[in-house]
Amino acid sequence: MTAAVALACALTAAVQPPAHADPETLSQVQARLQRLYHDAEVATDQYNAADEKVTAQTARVRALKRRVSTTETKLARLTALAGAAARAQYRGGGLPAEMQFVLSSDPERALDDASVARRGQQATQDVLTALTRARTTLRTRSADASAELRRLEESRRTRAARRSTVQENIAVARRLESRLAEKQRRELAALEKRQAERAQAAWEKTGVPKKLSTKGGTAGRKAIAYATRQLGKPYVWGAEGPDSFDCSGLTSQAWLHAGVTIPRTSEEQWRQLTRVPLDRMRPGDLIIYFSDASHVALYIGDGKIIQAPRPGRWVYVSPAASMPILGVVRPDA
């Protein structure tokens, strides 16, 4: 246990330094590491969400600016045409409609011509007015969208800074964890396995797993097939394939390859996708974990999931109830 105690003390000093630290047990060390990894996953998920919003808003700003440019081009063209028509009328000695009616040898035709001219002028003016209003509205919307983009970019920078801080702590934790003796590393892994098995056993005692469907939809089966092909690939923060994944990178890509686009992050998957009761879960559904929706995995049936767990681990199959379940969502509902 000496190596575990050394790890605990080093973690306490490097990550959350109090003046004096009591030695910790292996289970306490494991709890601290889990908390660090969880915090890092939350920070990364929040950064990914912020980055996704910036990308979407950037596209919106560009689209609005294109619409402003198109409207201004139309307005300039129509203004030029209206001006050219007025100048042509002036050069041709154009008279007011009333004078044309009095002097014309064919008053009825003159009246018709004047009416058509007035309607044409009025229609042109109406279009010019509408385009001018549209330009003003689009300029306002474009300015508002640009301001929102700047706010989102600042939010992304803030979240990126927090993610970097958390990841620095994780790097420290991983270096310290690597200094454990082989025996302690095996003990730590065995401890995690026992905890997962106990949680799974408790879930199975509820009788819920026996009620679950063993058949998923066509898209769900495709998502599972994709995730299965990724088994053994490493977990990397913010990765979405093809060589590495984080938790929501794996689930979003699995469903994308099944023909269904879903949000990139576990928080947004929980917020936007259709929720289903746990006892109606079927293969292909996504299980969201922890109260802050910070982790997600793909349910594959038989009480198991495929997940990308955390740094230093690989995409693998594990018990569905090995972590606290928040709920279930169905991408193809």
Side-chain angles (χ1 to χ4, degrees), residues 205-232:
K205 285 182 180 179
T206 66
V208 169
K210 294 180 180 179
K211 300 177 183 178
L212 300 180
S213 171
T214 58
K215 296 181 180 179
T218 301
R221 290 194 295 272
K222 290 180 180 179
I224 291 172
Y226 176 85
T228 301
R229 293 195 296 273
Q230 313 316 311
L231 291 172

Side-chain angles (χ1 to χ4, degrees), residues 53 146-157:
K53 288 178 181 178
S146 295
E148 174 66 6
L149 177 59
R150 288 191 293 273
R151 186 190 70 78
L152 290 172
E153 286 174 337
E154 178 60 31
S155 175
R156 180 174 63 176
R157 283 191 292 271

Side-chain angles (χ1 to χ4, degrees), residues 262-280:
I262 64 174
R264 168 64 178 84
T265 67
S266 58
E267 290 178 352
E268 289 303 301
Q269 289 171 9
W270 174 242
R271 190 177 71 85
Q272 295 186 35
L273 300 180
T274 301
R275 299 179 188 180
V276 298
L278 183 60
D279 60 3
R280 291 178 55 196

Side-chain angles (χ1 to χ4, degrees), residues 57-110:
Q57 188 69 7
T58 299
R60 183 167 179 262
V61 168
R62 288 174 178 168
L64 281 169
K65 287 182 176 180
R66 284 195 297 270
R67 289 179 64 186
V68 169
S69 178
T70 299
T71 301
E72 288 179 338
T73 299
K74 289 180 180 178
L75 184 58
R77 186 184 304 119
L78 191 58
T79 300
L81 289 173
R87 289 192 297 274
Q89 185 180 25
Y90 176 79
R91 288 195 300 271
L95 296 173
E98 293 79 1
M99 292 297 294
Q100 291 184 35
F101 177 75
V102 171
L103 299 176
S104 176
S105 59
D106 187 350
E108 185 175 348
R109 180 177 179 183

Side-chain angles (χ1 to χ4, degrees), residues 44 48 163 167 234-253 264 308:
T44 299
N48 289 339
R163 184 180 72 157
Q167 286 180 325
Y235 181 106
V236 173
W237 300 117
E240 48 188 330
D243 299 321
S244 56
F245 297 87
D246 64 12
C247 68
S248 54
L250 177 64
T251 55
S252 60
Q253 284 299 306
R264 168 64 178 84

